[in-house]
Amino acid sequence: PSRERTTPSASRSATASLSSSWIPIERRSQTQVATTLVATAAIAEVHRPSRAWLSQNASQLNLTHLKRLAPGEVVSTLEAWVKLEYHPGEDWMLDADVALISHPQPFDPAHTARALAALAALPGVSYRFPTFAALRLQKEGPDGYSYGQLSTMLRCLRHFGLALDRATLDAVGVHMGSLLLR
């Protein structure tokens, strides 16, 4: 069977024809808006949406909406903004920061590390989530984190000017060492 190559212009026209049949932004659920942003970020090299479109999508996800998303959807939305090279504005980012801290579902180590990395790439706001993540790591310890997650967390906490206490750093070092020996 022959495989047909998709050109960027063919992808753009396919995206344009699909978008005309999509549900209007204002009628989509929070999950649909988040999923659309993540899918758009996945094809960002082929099709870059307009800033107006991105702004319209950002306006559909406020603090209340972000708290209704699953932790992975919140983090994927932040990562989509990074990939799309779009900063949704200070108010939106402050809402995201509050949603990360007060979300009704706990963020697992993977979501925590990914959220920190996304926040580090979206500057301009004094975030509280990095401090929350550092305190949680100090309280709960590094068990449950992978080597890569801890590496990301340490890099991001340093980016935000946060330091862990000596006991936590020792525990993280021992845990990371044990992960390397497996």
Side-chain angles (χ1 to χ4, degrees), residues 63-75 95-107 129 132:
L63 176 59
T64 303
H65 299 136
L66 289 168
K67 285 178 150 184
R68 290 181 188 154
L69 297 174
E73 292 171 322
V74 175
V75 173
D95 279 354
D97 187 45
V98 170
L100 291 169
I101 292 169
S102 62
H103 199 281
Q105 298 174 38
F107 280 63
F129 181 72
F132 175 82

Side-chain angles (χ1 to χ4, degrees), residues 78 82 93 113-125 127 130 152 155-160:
L78 289 168
V82 172
M93 291 306 300
R114 289 173 49 209
L116 285 172
L119 293 178
L122 293 164
V125 176
Y127 299 114
T152 297
R155 178 180 50 80
C156 292
L157 292 176
R158 182 171 183 199
H159 169 84
F160 289 111

Side-chain angles (χ1 to χ4, degrees), residues 6-139:
T6 304
T7 64
S9 61
S11 292
R12 274 192 292 277
S13 45
T15 303
S17 67
L18 279 175
S19 65
S20 65
S21 64
W22 286 358
I23 301 167
I25 290 173
E26 59 278 354
R27 290 188 30 223
R28 284 188 267 151
S29 72
Q30 296 82 27
T31 300
Q32 288 170 323
V33 172
T35 302
T36 299
L37 286 169
V38 171
T40 302
I43 62 165
E45 291 179 15
V46 177
H47 174 72
R48 180 81 49 186
S50 71
R51 298 199 82 61
W53 185 86
L54 292 169
S55 176
Q56 196 174 17
N57 276 274
S59 70
Q60 296 300 309
L61 292 172
N62 62 28
L63 176 59
T64 303
H65 299 136
L66 289 168
K67 285 178 150 184
R68 290 181 188 154
L69 297 174
E73 292 171 322
V74 175
V75 173
S76 292
T77 300
L78 289 168
E79 292 170 331
W81 294 134
V82 172
K83 182 139 184 171
L84 291 165
E85 299 173 357
Y86 178 78
H87 195 291
E90 277 191 34
D91 289 342
W92 196 97
M93 291 306 300
L94 288 171
D95 279 354
D97 187 45
V98 170
L100 291 169
I101 292 169
S102 62
H103 199 281
Q105 298 174 38
F107 280 63
D108 65 18
H111 293 137
T112 301
R114 289 173 49 209
L116 285 172
L119 293 178
L122 293 164
V125 176
S126 182
Y127 299 114
R128 294 181 299 162
F129 181 72
T131 301
F132 175 82
L135 291 172
R136 184 172 152 204
L137 180 61
Q138 287 179 178
K139 180 182 176 192

Side-chain angles (χ1 to χ4, degrees), residues 134 137-143 147 150 154 157 163-179:
L137 180 61
Q138 287 179 178
K139 180 182 176 192
E140 297 175 6
D143 293 344
Y147 186 92
L150 286 168
L154 292 174
L157 292 176
L164 298 171
D165 62 41
R166 174 54 61 194
T168 303
L169 284 173
D170 289 345
V172 167
V174 168
H175 185 67
M176 290 177 84
S178 71
L179 291 171

